[in-house]
């Protein structure tokens, strides 16, 4: 498998845009996970990275580019990739998916003003030369990273076991409770999730859709509950709440019908800061705040047609619109005024920033990387040529 490679287009790459005033600080987290080699999965950026490279559209790949940019600017994921803790100890780096994705993150975040190809490992595993659903690709990419051993994506163990909720990069666990209204007995199950799907047919905001999701449901008639204690079908009340929530929450607005494929085009309000405490199983305690850091947008009538782009919040705290190769600065007002498809939130905490115990990521040209990826030799030559070109009169 081949890692992503830098691509110079025939025209000049987009130049860095003027940075706009920051509306609020990027969220930071108090907990850190070091599952392999001490890598940090902090919710705050290791250092104030600016915006990186745009992505080449190689033919109906706008959906892939938009989803990949959202992942690239996911702080805990970016911190892990920039630390290079995986590639430094990997013994099969020439065919390792995590090494290839790590290389893409390094190039993308260290190449402001340039245009590079999207990660070829993920593109080759999903893209079929036609428009696809960005949400489906996003889930595919997370599944691939989970299978490759990325820390914080294992969902087989419940939060009551050796994996605490704070160790989860994305997602968490649902808690489903069914109470028999005859014997008052309670049945409880925990189920993992990576994303939270929100029904927006009758909701005009994310908060309202979440409230509908956790509202108790009555089970009666044909949907009656078979109680193991009463040994018969009885009326029951079912409640779904979040038992645990990871560092990052992905909200998928259900805009597309599973049967007709038609799209709900109405605008749904989403806040810059979201308190998840009202939707948790344990509702007592201080607010559980998450802040918005990426928005994936679809323009068109069907998910397999139209166009995808995204807005991301870089490590320097400023917002940018990422539309394939085009990278433009924007403000929070523009970000919050979109007909969003997927929303990305990261934990907010009083810790982080100057208090964070993380170190800067290394540049992507160290000798070990050249050994791991023969294609990085091409990058090294290209980078040297670019520096000479910029110095020439």
């Amino acid at each position: 498998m081949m890692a992503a490679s830098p691509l110079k287009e025939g025209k000049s790459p987009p130049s860095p845009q003027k940075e706009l005033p920051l509306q609020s600080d990027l969220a930071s987290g108090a907990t850190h996970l070091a599952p392999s080699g001490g890598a940090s999965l902090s919710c705050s950026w290791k250092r104030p990275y600016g915006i990186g490279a745009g992505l080449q559209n190689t033919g109906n790949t706008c959906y892939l580019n938009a989803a990949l940019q959202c992942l690239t600017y996911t702080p805990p994921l970016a911190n892990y990739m920039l630390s290079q803790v995986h590639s430094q100890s990997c013994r099969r780096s020439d065919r390792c998916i995590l090494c290839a994705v790590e290389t893409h993150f390094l190039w993308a975040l260290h190449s402001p003003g340039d245009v590079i190809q999207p990660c070829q490992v993920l593109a080759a595993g999903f893209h079929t030369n036609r428009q696809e659903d960005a949400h489906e690709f996003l889930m595919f990419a997370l599944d691939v990273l989970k299978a490759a051993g990325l820390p914080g994506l294992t969902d087989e163990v419940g939060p009551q076991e050796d994996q605490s909720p704070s160790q989860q990069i994305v997602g968490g666990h649902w808690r489903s409770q069914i109470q028999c209204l005859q014997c008052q007995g309670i049945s409880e199950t925990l189920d993992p999730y990576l994303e939270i799907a929100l029904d927006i047919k009758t909701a005009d905001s994310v908060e309202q859709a979440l409230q509908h999701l956790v509202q108790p449901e009555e089970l009666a008639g044909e949907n009656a509950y078979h109680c193991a204690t009463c040994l018969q079908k009885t009326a029951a009340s079912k409640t779904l709440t979040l038992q645990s929530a990871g560092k990052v929450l992905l909200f998928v607005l259900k805009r597309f019908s599973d049967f007709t494929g038609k799209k709900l085009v109405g605008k749904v309000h989403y806040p810059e800061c979201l308190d998840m405490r009202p939707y948790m199983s344990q509702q007592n305690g201080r607010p559980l705040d998450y802040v918005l850091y990426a928005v994936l947008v679809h323009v068109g009538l069907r998910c397999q047609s139209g166009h995808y782009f995204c807005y991301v919040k870089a490590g320097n705290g400023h917002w940018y619109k990422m539309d394939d190769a085009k990278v433009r600065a924007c403000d929070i007002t523009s970000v919050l005024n979109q007909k969003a498809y997927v929303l990305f939130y990261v934990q907010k905490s009083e810790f982080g920033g100057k208090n964070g115990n993380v170190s800067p990521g290394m540049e992507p040209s160290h000798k070990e990387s050249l050994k791991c990826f023969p294609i990085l030799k091409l990058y090294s030559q290209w980078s040297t040529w670019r520096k000479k070109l910029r110095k020439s009169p």
Side-chain angles (χ1 to χ4, degrees):
M1 295 182 180
M2 184 175 292
S5 58
L7 178 67
K8 305 294 288 185
E9 295 189 321
K11 59 182 180 180
S12 299
S15 58
Q17 301 297 309
K18 180 180 178 181
E19 294 178 345
L20 300 179
L22 175 64
Q23 298 294 324
S24 64
D25 293 335
L26 185 69
S28 56
T31 54
H32 303 282
L33 171 64
S36 60
S40 171
L41 294 179
S42 168
C43 289
S44 60
W45 285 87
K46 292 182 177 182
R47 64 177 182 177
Y49 281 91
I51 198 65
L55 296 182
Q56 165 90 4
N57 190 320
T58 58
N60 293 320
T61 58
C62 62
Y63 74 93
L64 184 150
N65 291 346
L68 191 55
Q69 292 286 31
C70 291
L71 289 177
T72 301
Y73 292 89
T74 296
L77 186 56
N79 283 341
Y80 180 80
M81 296 299 179
L82 289 168
S83 72
Q84 300 181 64
V85 67
H86 173 79
S87 62
Q88 289 173 358
S89 60
C90 183
R91 296 184 178 181
R92 56 184 187 89
S93 53
D94 58 336
R95 59 185 184 280
C96 174
I97 291 177
L98 277 184
C99 286
V101 175
E102 178 186 289
T103 302
H104 174 85
F105 273 64
L106 288 167
W107 286 357
L109 294 171
H110 284 288
S111 304
D114 291 335
V115 180
I116 66 174
Q117 287 185 354
C119 181
Q120 296 301 295
V121 168
L122 297 178
F126 188 89
H127 187 54
T128 57
N129 296 319
R130 67 176 184 177
Q131 178 81 296
E132 300 287 354
D133 184 357
H135 165 237
E136 290 183 0
F137 171 74
L138 186 63
M139 293 300 102
F140 168 82
L142 289 175
D143 284 341
V144 169
L145 293 175
K146 181 175 68 175
L150 178 69
L153 288 181
T154 53
D155 56 13
E156 286 77 12
V157 295
Q160 76 279 8
E161 298 181 35
D162 59 354
Q163 184 183 7
S164 68
S166 64
Q167 290 178 318
Q168 193 79 0
I169 292 182
V170 180
H173 288 80
W174 286 110
R175 179 186 183 185
S176 177
Q177 280 189 326
I178 301 180
Q179 182 175 24
C180 175
L181 298 182
Q182 182 167 301
C183 69
Q184 303 303 312
I186 296 177
S187 173
E188 182 177 297
T189 58
L190 293 177
D191 295 301
Y193 67 89
L194 284 178
E195 86 275 30
I196 298 175
L198 299 179
D199 190 343
I200 58 173
K201 290 180 181 178
T202 59
D204 56 14
S205 71
V206 166
E207 295 96 330
Q208 189 176 17
L210 281 168
Q211 191 60 48
H212 290 169
L213 195 59
V214 300
Q215 188 173 1
E217 175 188 0
E218 183 180 352
L219 303 179
E222 293 182 356
N223 294 324
Y225 170 63
H226 190 280
C227 179
T229 302
C230 299
L231 298 179
Q232 62 180 353
K233 283 192 172 184
T234 63
S237 176
K238 179 179 180 181
T239 304
L240 189 66
T241 55
L242 292 169
Q243 175 70 16
S244 65
K247 298 176 183 296
V248 172
L249 291 179
L250 308 183
F251 296 101
V252 181
L253 278 58
K254 298 172 69 174
R255 291 195 175 275
F256 302 102
S257 169
D258 294 333
F259 300 102
T260 65
K262 290 184 178 180
K263 180 181 177 181
L264 294 176
V265 297
K267 185 178 293 185
V268 178
H269 171 75
Y270 48 95
E272 186 178 5
C273 184
L274 177 64
D275 179 14
M276 291 298 294
R277 180 61 64 189
Y279 320 109
M280 303 297 294
S281 303
Q282 190 63 255
Q283 297 185 0
N284 297 326
R286 61 184 182 181
L288 183 59
D289 289 332
Y290 285 75
V291 294
L292 187 72
Y293 73 89
V295 178
L296 195 152
V297 182
H298 174 268
V299 178
L301 298 179
R302 296 179 181 273
C303 59
Q304 279 81 19
S305 61
H307 183 60
Y308 289 95
F309 57 90
C310 67
Y311 293 83
V312 299
K313 195 175 190 180
N316 60 12
H318 299 299
W319 282 97
Y320 298 85
K321 180 180 179 180
M322 312 291 278
D323 189 353
D324 290 332
K326 299 177 183 178
V327 179
R328 296 290 182 268
C330 64
D331 57 24
I332 186 61
T333 303
S334 298
V335 175
L336 296 178
N337 198 34
Q338 301 299 315
K339 295 180 179 179
Y341 181 26
V342 184
L343 299 169
F344 299 73
Y345 284 83
V346 67
Q347 277 184 5
K348 182 180 180 181
S349 170
E350 69 273 24
F351 298 100
K354 294 182 179 179
N355 298 324
N357 57 348
V358 290
S359 59
M362 294 185 296
E363 296 295 327
S365 57
H366 60 93
K367 294 181 180 180
E368 290 303 316
S369 285
L370 292 178
K371 293 179 182 178
C372 293
F373 286 95
I375 195 170
L376 282 186
K377 295 180 181 179
L378 174 63
Y379 172 80
S380 181
Q381 296 171 0
W382 167 79
S383 181
T384 302
W385 171 82
R386 184 179 64 172
K387 290 178 181 179
K388 290 181 179 179
L389 182 64
R390 289 178 174 175
K391 291 181 179 179
S392 61

